[in-house]
Amino acid sequence: MSHLVRYSRYLSRFKTPHFPRSQHSTLPFSTTTEDYNRPSRPDPPPIRVALTESAGRGVFSTRKIGAGDLIHTAKPILAHPSLSTINTVCYFCLKKLTSTEFHGKGVAFCSQECKENAKVFYEVETKADWLAFDDYCRENRNEMQNKGLKYPLLVKRLACMVISGAASAESLDILQPSNLSHEMVLEMEEGYGLLKSGFAMANISDEQMAFLTKEWYNSVLARIRINAFRIELAVGSYEDLLSSAAACIEAEAAVGNAVYMLPSLYNHDCDPNAHIVWIDNADAQLKALCDVEEDEELRICYIDASMDHDARQSFLLQGFGFKCNCLRCLSGD
């Protein structure tokens, strides 16, 4: 039996952009390619991104998809292991380490390839002493989760990528941000200060850090807060992932967290027709839970679908900022 990964989402629906409201108005996003004559090129995924009538952008099927079929895969924009598993998973891809790991400075990689790929952030990161920042993340983890202030480690990784020139400071701007209260903004100040001082003490120049303003830090955290996947290793078949998602939300020992582009466009449904699994590492696989018709919207469940109606409504409103009006909720189930 393969080691798979359960998931929970910290994601909200995208608010309707200022485009004409048409259920099948396709946005300027494409998963296809113009060169279909190359035999080695895989078929494009059977999906398109379009506007929905009430939930902003969504993902729709372009043909019939069978139950259990792989819809598409997705590599993370950002991924970071949790501090509790930093010595047991690959520092780049989050794969569980074996006896053949490739060591870095205080961390390990599952392969030489991952060690090379990690240079986009690792060479900058290792110039600084992050003890105070890591202690801040570790000591305030439960408090930050309760107040919605999660994932500063992902912000640090993105900042390292921007400084190295491997990523743009606007990399996550396409993702919908959460609304931050004044209290949340104040709580973020300590993390921002520790992040900036860590780079400054490593002699990163002011020019290289020009993007690293308090506004940028808050904006990135606001996007990561509702668009990050919490990943935890599990044993079993992927069919039971949906019913056990709640355990991941509250789990103490997550493998790590990751942010993706296309999976962030999937809207929520308490009776979903798709879900996400991870096999071995942080590369996500979107699979169909049932037969899907052509032009049907593909939806995932952000929470534990086994909760009762009132619990689901409360969780979605408090955690994701919307009232669910899916068919299951409208029926009172």
Side-chain angles (χ1 to χ4, degrees):
M1 192 72 70
S2 300
H3 285 299
L4 300 176
V5 180
R6 303 180 188 179
Y7 79 92
S8 64
R9 270 311 298 277
Y10 291 95
L11 171 71
S12 76
R13 298 179 301 174
F14 281 79
K15 296 180 180 178
T16 306
H18 297 294
F19 297 105
R21 287 186 57 177
S22 171
Q23 184 173 359
H24 302 303
S25 298
T26 304
L27 291 175
F29 175 95
S30 175
T31 59
T32 62
T33 176
E34 294 181 0
D35 184 5
Y36 296 105
N37 296 319
R38 295 177 60 182
S40 61
R41 189 180 294 275
D43 292 335
I47 56 172
R48 60 187 176 84
V49 177
L51 291 174
T52 68
E53 291 185 339
S54 60
R57 289 172 285 189
V59 180
F60 294 81
S61 62
T62 57
R63 59 168 173 78
K64 289 186 176 182
I65 303 172
D69 285 356
L70 175 66
I71 302 169
H72 68 87
T73 60
K75 289 186 175 296
I77 307 169
L78 292 171
H80 198 292
S82 62
L83 292 175
S84 62
T85 62
I86 207 161
N87 295 316
T88 60
V89 300
C90 177
Y91 199 55
F92 180 77
C93 76
L94 310 188
K95 182 178 180 179
K96 188 175 180 180
L97 293 174
T98 67
S99 57
T100 58
E101 62 266 19
F102 294 77
H103 290 280
K105 185 185 294 186
V107 297
F109 301 92
C110 67
S111 66
Q112 185 63 35
E113 180 181 6
C114 278
K115 190 174 182 179
E116 289 296 316
N117 289 336
K119 287 182 177 180
V120 296
F121 59 83
Y122 190 62
E123 290 184 347
V124 172
E125 183 179 306
T126 52
K127 293 179 180 180
D129 180 357
W130 297 109
L131 180 61
F133 186 81
D134 288 350
D135 284 346
Y136 161 78
C137 296
R138 187 180 294 107
E139 293 171 4
N140 294 279
R141 178 172 57 82
N142 291 333
E143 183 179 357
M144 285 190 290
Q145 286 180 349
N146 292 335
K147 295 182 178 180
L149 306 178
K150 298 178 282 287
Y151 311 121
L153 291 169
L154 285 170
V155 182
K156 183 189 77 173
R157 179 151 292 185
L158 177 59
C160 290
M161 293 169 67
V162 175
I163 290 171
S164 74
S168 165
E170 294 79 33
S171 295
L172 302 187
D173 282 4
I174 193 175
L175 301 180
Q176 176 74 13
S178 64
N179 294 319
L180 300 177
S181 66
H182 179 66
E183 180 186 15
M184 288 180 178
V185 173
L186 292 177
E187 291 288 342
M188 291 178 177
E189 289 188 2
E190 182 180 0
Y192 167 72
L194 290 169
L195 180 64
K196 190 165 186 178
S197 65
F199 286 127
M201 293 177 66
N203 296 318
I204 303 299
S205 69
D206 290 341
E207 181 180 358
Q208 289 177 292
M209 289 194 295
F211 72 95
L212 188 53
T213 63
K214 188 179 298 183
E215 291 73 21
W216 179 87
Y217 182 86
N218 292 347
S219 173
V220 171
L221 263 184
R223 285 169 168 80
I224 291 176
R225 180 192 172 203
I226 56 173
N227 289 285
F229 290 80
R230 182 180 171 95
I231 306 171
E232 183 177 316
L233 291 176
V235 177
S237 61
Y238 72 79
E239 286 83 1
D240 66 2
L241 296 177
L242 189 61
S243 62
S244 57
C248 297
I249 296 174
E250 301 298 334
E252 293 296 322
V255 170
N257 301 290
V259 179
Y260 304 84
M261 189 59 68
L262 184 54
S264 292
L265 302 179
Y266 279 71
N267 287 314
H268 165 82
D269 199 297
C270 293
D271 187 17
N273 55 11
H275 70 163
I276 305 177
V277 296
W278 289 264
I279 302 176
D280 294 331
N281 58 31
D283 292 348
Q285 296 189 10
L286 276 291
K287 288 179 175 284
L289 284 169
C290 59
D291 291 339
V292 178
E293 297 298 318
E294 182 178 353
D295 287 331
E296 182 178 348
E297 185 180 2
L298 292 158
R299 291 183 172 236
I300 60 176
C301 187
Y302 300 169
I303 60 174
D304 177 14
S306 67
M307 292 191 293
D308 63 32
H309 174 271
D310 291 344
R312 296 197 314 274
Q313 287 289 326
S314 176
F315 198 102
L316 289 167
L317 185 60
Q318 294 180 25
F320 303 96
F322 68 90
K323 180 180 179 180
C324 183
N325 291 311
C326 71
L327 292 177
R328 183 182 173 193
C329 284
L330 291 176
S331 70
D333 181 12

